[in-house]
Amino acid sequence: MQKGCFKTVGRSTFSLIALTSVLMLSGCLVGPDYQKPIFKLDSKWSGSSHETPSTPPELANWWQRLNDPLLDKLVSDAIAGNNDVQSAKARVREARATLWQTTGTLLPSIDGSASANRNKSAGGPERSQYRGGLDSSWEIDLFGANRRAVEAAKYGLDGAKEDMRATMLTLIGDVATNYAEIRGLQQQIALAQRTAIAQRRTAQLTKDKFAAGAVSQLDVSNAEGQAATTEAGIPQMQANLATTIHRLSVLTGQSPTALNDIMAKTGKIPEPKWPIPAGVPADILLTRPDVRLAERQYAQATARIGQKEADRYPSLTLTGNISTSATQPGELGKSSSISWSAGPGLSIPIFEGGQRMAAVEVARAQRDQSFINYRSSVLTALEDVENALVSMSKERQRSAKLAIAANSYAKALSLSRSLYQSGNTSFLELLNAERSHYSSEQSLIESQVSITKDYISLMKALGGGWNGAVDDTKPEIVDGYTGPHIRKVETESKTR
């Protein structure tokens, strides 16, 4: 033994185990410890008003405040059947299994073996040989590489859950948006059909006047052309309605035509209840799942630095083996047939061309990217809320003016028809009145849909989503017996 080394293997083993125990009990870790960053945010939204006060937002089941039972059912169906949600649930199960797998690295591993053989050499007797044994190893987590891996896996599981919530938030918004668009298209089709009928009556009246010599052929042609133009727009609106219903059906996890019968009846455009609390900017750090996801990814990247940093330090492994060998099964337990070994193994990185240090720098750069993504997600969330508040506020003002205009044009149309029938105004005045009334009614319907869509955008921007119970433990495909068996003829998989 060299001077300064332990004099015996026993003392060396004891000392290493003692050092290991001290390091483990002290919770020795390398790399940065994660600290959640603090952002300085404004105290209120710039677009706040008496209609959108800074009181805590009502995000739970926000779509129910549109007071439409059918929409409520469609949202529930989508959460249960949408494929994106099912994929997000599978990612949660994957992250949970990864955490389970990673946690196992903190524990010892034990393997058993057994064998029996009979042999005969040339000219010799037949002999039997029986063997059995146990092998164990335990990587002592001296500098926390495995514990940092577990920490990263925990953050990964948190992130997968936030990703699932973000998926549901987007889904609910898409379902509500498509539903509002369907109701708007139905209103527009009904308006166009009513208008076309009225314009056909006007065209017939103009023909009668032409037959009596009261108007020219030009008026007849204009009247018929206007009615045909209005009728020509109906098929395109019907096509848009059909494709939007198809999209809504697929969002709920059904075939494109599954909702045709349910959505066949025209319904009113859902309207939000006012006022709509918008909270304060700091709320989005807690309510937006995409922001929380980015924060968990940042935390996970921080933990991975510790993993790579620990690789630069020595590693210690405790191994043990016990085996027995005999020519008769009954002799396997005798002390004379049993052998064993146990001891530590120390690995010290000396020179690898800077690879391990480079791996740490890679992890640090990835952590920076995650932090920048987190900061960007916060800014994007703030932008989304501000845009939704401004759009909703201005659209309400526009809608109020459009309602006044539509009412005025309706009166003007009624008066123009009366005057035209009595011969006190020209057909051109009636033609303009019909066009103005139809256009104003169309614009009003579109504005009403836009207000609802802005409300939906605001709820998404604030982080409103599904708050009910979600079972993310059930697999999509349920396997039968997967133990040892003879392969059967290929059959269809059993799914939920």
Side-chain angles (χ1 to χ4, degrees), residues 92-107 149-150 153-154 157:
V92 172
R93 292 194 293 274
E94 178 186 4
R96 187 178 290 117
T98 299
L99 174 58
W100 183 13
Q101 182 183 39
T102 307
T103 303
T105 61
L106 299 177
L107 304 174
V150 172
K154 287 179 179 178
L157 176 57

Side-chain angles (χ1 to χ4, degrees), residues 233-244:
I234 295 175
Q236 183 60 57
M237 288 186 282
Q238 290 173 330
N240 292 341
L241 174 62
T243 56
T244 308

Side-chain angles (χ1 to χ4, degrees), residues 45 48-57 275-280:
W45 304 108
S48 295
S49 65
H50 67 280
E51 294 180 339
T52 54
S54 297
T55 53
I276 301 173
V280 295

